[in-house]
Amino acid sequence: QVEVVESGGGLVQPGGSLRLSCAASGSLLSIPGMGWYRQAPGKQRELVARISSSSTSYSDSVKGRFTISRDNAKRTAYLQMKNLEPEDTAVYYCKVDVWVLPNTYGEYWGQGTQVTVSS
């Protein structure tokens, strides 16, 4: 069984910063990829940033403001968000792509963490 837990959301003023964390646990062999998605009210869930063992990618809307990183020893991914805008308000979800015992590939989602940007 794999568990994914996000943390770090909250209320922040426009121009402020937040750092989200995503921790994966369970019978994991490896984590090829970790990604952050977000879903605003009335909108579809969208990819914000993704990190593999060798590369990162970002949506155009957050490029230059958000930075994704990972700590493999802690099985944790981070999303550093700067210069936040009201349009960044959404529930942020973490998805991990994993190889689990005995030798199965799977995708697992966290429960989400709310980010609200408002004055």
Side-chain angles (χ1 to χ4, degrees):
Q1 188 70 14
V2 177
E3 185 178 23
V4 179
V5 179
E6 304 104 332
S7 61
L11 172 65
V12 63
Q13 292 186 342
S17 300
L18 279 176
R19 189 177 84 151
L20 306 182
S21 298
C22 167
S25 61
S27 301
L28 305 175
L29 291 176
S30 66
I31 307 177
M34 305 180 82
W36 286 98
Y37 295 71
R38 67 186 181 187
Q39 187 167 19
K43 295 187 177 181
Q44 289 188 329
R45 189 173 298 188
E46 62 173 352
L47 175 65
V48 174
R50 190 179 185 279
I51 185 167
S52 68
S53 59
S54 59
S55 65
T56 58
S57 60
Y58 300 90
S59 68
D60 289 341
S61 62
V62 307
K63 201 171 294 183
R65 299 188 298 121
F66 291 10
T67 303
I68 190 170
S69 61
R70 61 188 289 177
D71 183 329
N72 291 327
K74 296 182 178 179
R75 297 175 172 178
T76 299
Y78 304 97
L79 185 68
Q80 178 67 54
M81 305 184 293
K82 297 181 180 180
N83 297 324
L84 283 161
E85 304 168 351
E87 293 73 22
D88 296 316
T89 296
V91 177
Y92 284 69
Y93 297 90
C94 178
K95 182 175 77 73
V96 296
D97 307 324
V98 302
W99 285 98
V100 300
L101 292 170
N103 197 17
T104 303
Y105 183 82
E107 299 178 348
Y108 296 85
W109 291 85
Q111 81 288 349
T113 185
Q114 176 71 45
V115 172
T116 303
V117 184
S118 175
S119 55

